[in-house]
Amino acid sequence: DAKTTQPPSMDCAEGRAANLPCNHSTISGNEYVYWYRQIHSQGPQYIIHGLKNNETNEMASLIITEDRKSSTLILPHATLRDTAVYYCIVRVVDDKIIFGKGTRLHILP
Amino acid sequence: KAGVTQTPRYLIKTRGQQVTLSCSPISGHRSVSWYQQTPGQGLQFLFEYFSETQRNKGNFPGRFSGRQFSNSRSEMNVSTLELGDSALYLCASSSSTSGGLQETQYFGPGTRLLVL
């Protein structure tokens, strides 16, 4: 079973920041938080990952709470192409990825 | 670098047949994982291969099998196809080693299998 809980869907206005929450209250000390997204019928695309520090790359920022029980993926300036299902995953090194149901993000024009 | 490639992209089979899907990982990647995605069950892990050995396995029946070649290319086989095997089959590769370093998995576009 997936170890994460995400809202099933969210809306965000184009050009605004999209903040996608994820709860992972049972995360272990050696588990990383990963985010992937899947645009309709394509393979999942890696976005970002982190252990306990906040991370930023060209696609997004990842904010992990100090107790590591939740995190937020931030897409700073959402565009219509960001419409996708976003998966938050926790996993240990070299372990399989267990996907939950994810959050379906709708970007509104 | 070229991404993960999967062939064929689309496939139609009938019940009882068998099918073989192919995955070529990103150059230099030695770990290959397979996933099944259906509308009802979502994305489910099938198995992972590293250096020609199966390292992790999901909860699928023995009809689902795989292998990895010395060049890291991988195939998965489904025998005695059932209607419920209709799905998008995704392959992912990573530069994961057995040394405990965390590495990101990169997914291919998938093979869409339809069983009639």
Side-chain angles (χ1 to χ4, degrees), chain A residues 32 34 36 38 41-46 49 87 91-101, chain B residues 35 37 43 45 48 55-56 88 90 96-98 100-109 112:
Chain A
Y32 288 75
Y34 277 78
Y36 282 80
Q38 188 173 26
S41 294
Q42 297 181 20
Q45 177 190 24
Y46 165 78
H49 73 279
Y87 295 98
R91 66 187 279 253
V92 298
V93 166
D94 287 347
D95 199 5
K96 56 185 178 290
I97 296 178
I98 298 177
F99 287 86
K101 296 191 182 302
Chain B
Y35 296 80
Q37 185 172 31
L43 269 159
F45 172 77
E48 183 215 358
R55 187 162 67 173
N56 278 304
L88 179 66
L90 292 156
S96 172
T97 69
S98 58
L101 296 172
Q102 58 85 18
E103 294 292 347
T104 301
Q105 292 195 2
Y106 295 92
F107 285 80
R112 188 165 296 280

Side-chain angles (χ1 to χ4, degrees), chain A residues 14-51:
Chain A
E14 189 177 18
R16 305 295 294 268
N19 296 279
L20 292 90
C22 179
N23 287 321
H24 32 78
S25 59
T26 61
I27 192 170
S28 302
N30 61 344
E31 287 182 315
Y32 288 75
V33 179
Y34 277 78
W35 283 84
Y36 282 80
R37 73 180 182 184
Q38 188 173 26
I39 297 169
H40 182 62
S41 294
Q42 297 181 20
Q45 177 190 24
Y46 165 78
I47 301 173
I48 198 168
H49 73 279
L51 184 61

